[in-house]
Amino acid sequence: MWDDAFPSFLIGLREGLEAGLIVSILVATLVRAGAKSRLPQVWTGVLAAIALAMSFGAVLTFTAASLSATAQEAFGGTLSIIAVAFVTAMVFWMRRSARSLSGEIKEKVTGALAMGSGMLIVTSFLAVGREGLETALFLWTTARAAGESVGPMIGAGVGLVIAAGLCWGLYRRVLKINLTKFFTATGAVLIVIAAGVLGYGLRDLQEGGVLPGKAAFAFDLSQSIDPSAWYTTLVQGVFNLMPAMTWLQVIAYAGYLAIVMTLFVRGVRTAAKPAPKPAPAPAAQPAGEQAPVAKDGTAEVASAEEGPAEGETADGDAPETQPTSQPESESASEPASAGAGRKRPAWLVPVAVVAVPAVVAGGIVAFGTSKPAGAPTIAVSEKECGKGFTAPKPGRQTFQMQNTGDKTSEVYLVDPGTNAVYGEIEGLAPGTTRDLVATIAGGSYAWRCVPTGGKAVTSAAVRVSGGGGAKAVVPVAEQDLAAPLRAYKQYVDHGLATLTDQTQKLSDDLAGDDLDAARTDWLTAHRTYSSLGAAYGTFEDFDKKINGRADGLPDGVHDKDFTGFHRIEYGLWHGASAAELSGPAQQLHDDVVGLRKAFPTQAFDPGDLPLRTHEILENTLQFELTGDTDEGSGSNLATADANLAGTQELLNVLRPLIAKREPQLLASIESDIARMQKLLDDAHHDGTWTPVEKLDATTRQRLNGITGQLLEHLAPVPDLLEIRKSA
């Protein structure tokens, strides 16, 4: 959780300290000016700013929750970009302003004192409100990136508490902080964090369809690293760097980091240059110019209770000229002069300025996220499943699903006769309400509630008359995938037996110093392994040993841990001798034998079968059709051909389930496969394959295009064949 909390902790500490310094300066200035009765006006402005920030966070949260999934991605991505802009501006502003912060604030306080109580409230409100809004926006974006709010909220809370403690210490003169060094160090870290937020925001915009390049990955390490490892969660939580990132994310991340960090460091160096020696200061300086930040950037806020000694200010400079009396409009709560009219209650202004942001935010949330007229609220629990459900009208309808139980639940709108699913919500937490949108036509409808660890409950059915056709998905149970899983495991087991013989032949070629035969047999064996793509997740560590890449290894292709097909490929096409490759070839054969022996006992999740229909060719588009995995053989298209064959085999075992639910989708998939196969066949001449980089631009574009189209048609298959609980 700390990994997700750190960015929010840092922003809470920085913004809290910045706002706290402003409040401390306001308070110290008023106390030293003999205007303690004006302090409630400062706290009124501060409370109003806090109310505004919290209301802003509520608006972001609840309005986003009412959007569709795609709109939420676009909304979150846009706000992430805005948050990056605010944080960047804040970092540079504090770098410039740390030394002169006190003077600027005290000038505003002096003006507010002269203009009346309302201006003092506005001054404190604006001074603190900006930091509060920035904190709310950045906290919302980091919480959304983390996928949970507990860690970021705790981090921000801890940061704000520490900031408050530091400001209290500064005000009481029990500590000093070099603000210049503090804001420089935290600014550099925030720039790195903001670069990650920028990348995450751009990914959201790609997922939301606002920006292109959703499938154009620069790298994908998801198969090479452990997503649950501490270092993975640390990097992803703190810096928002993901195992797979698109080219747009990488370019934006690197560009932002290079440009902004360079400008920031250059500005720090410029500010650090010694300034010309100033002229001697006069014996006394006017009121309002005394700053609690020393020339070296050290903060020390003057306190009234522990003020400076006679003839000396809190910074050791000449004493200020003190006002001899309070301004006439010193307090809004002072008694009015005779005949001035009825006294205004002292609590009226504070309550009003604090309540207004909350009331406005409540109105926005109420109207912005209000459910459509007539949308019923349906209870979800083991005891109340479907309570409040009456026969709906035909057409597109929105239902408010409220979990009234004490367990997270899945909820389905079903045809109780066939169990066909018209709509669903997964992971509905206790006490929460979410929309379920479904198209209603003539037929029977009921709700099925499946609490986590509990028994499924189906509500009473209702009958709807009239209306057009409504699309429903026949649910898939785990036993429905049992037969396809057995068939595919037999296919993999047969493939591993063939692969064992092929890797033995490759090893024999190298033992006999026949490099030409080794190159031919290497490609044959590698194509066999590549056709088993749906089982890679089951192979555990064997896949890395057999088909691992040199990416990320300290010594690259020369690293001792670089083994398997690509290690041998690099040697065969880069002049290595047969003797040098005999050891790696024998190790490859031994690993294949070990995999074949272990495979029958390895866990194969039946839910992985539908997922792999899309993932195999997604990896093909990312790695093979970009030439990323080529170690010299130029055989990426041969591997792509094997991946396509593996996808076809997987679709064959799933065909009955798909045809029963979406026969037209299956026809589109088969048409795309035929077109892709034709393009690959055209690149295969007399036993040799055209390297990807030697394809002409038109052919390469067509191949990428048809692969992308095939992926679009394959994308619904995992949802179509998702295992849904019915009992």
Side-chain angles (χ1 to χ4, degrees), residues 625-691:
L625 298 186
T626 59
D628 185 64
T629 56
D630 183 22
E631 294 293 354
S633 67
S635 62
N636 280 126
L637 294 183
T639 305
D641 182 72
N643 289 338
L644 184 61
T647 300
Q648 287 180 288
E649 183 63 34
L650 185 56
L651 288 169
N652 285 338
V653 300
L654 295 174
R655 182 182 302 275
L657 296 177
I658 300 174
K660 183 178 180 181
R661 290 159 177 82
E662 198 72 62
Q664 293 181 342
L665 177 63
L666 193 59
S668 298
I669 290 172
E670 291 174 340
S671 175
D672 291 341
I673 287 177
R675 292 174 59 196
M676 184 175 177
Q677 187 66 66
K678 176 66 168 57
L679 291 174
L680 290 172
D681 289 344
D682 290 343
H684 187 206
H685 305 283
D686 300 325
T688 61
W689 292 84
T690 303

Side-chain angles (χ1 to χ4, degrees), residues 215-307:
F217 286 90
F219 60 85
D220 186 351
L221 304 178
S222 54
Q223 301 296 323
S224 306
I225 61 175
D226 181 4
S228 62
W230 67 268
Y231 54 85
T232 306
T233 56
L234 177 66
V235 172
Q236 188 165 347
V238 174
F239 303 111
N240 279 321
L241 289 175
M242 293 160 280
M245 295 181 69
T246 63
W247 280 108
L248 179 61
Q249 287 179 280
V250 171
I251 292 171
Y253 181 92
Y256 173 89
L257 201 57
I259 295 172
V260 176
M261 189 66 79
T262 300
L263 294 174
F264 182 78
V265 172
R266 183 180 299 170
V268 170
R269 290 176 178 174
T270 301
K273 291 181 180 179
K277 188 174 181 180
Q285 60 187 40
E289 293 184 6
Q290 174 62 37
V293 182
K295 293 178 181 179
D296 63 352
T298 303
E300 181 181 339
V301 178
S303 167
E305 291 79 358
E306 299 182 19

Side-chain angles (χ1 to χ4, degrees), residues 538-569:
T538 305
F539 289 168
E540 300 173 351
D541 292 338
F542 284 104
D543 182 55
K544 185 176 181 180
K545 296 176 182 178
I546 294 172
N547 204 41
R549 303 192 299 272
D551 300 357
L553 295 177
D555 296 324
V557 294
H558 303 293
D559 196 277
K560 61 181 179 61
D561 292 328
F562 182 37
T563 61
F565 279 111
H566 292 299
R567 166 69 182 90
I568 299 171
E569 177 190 9

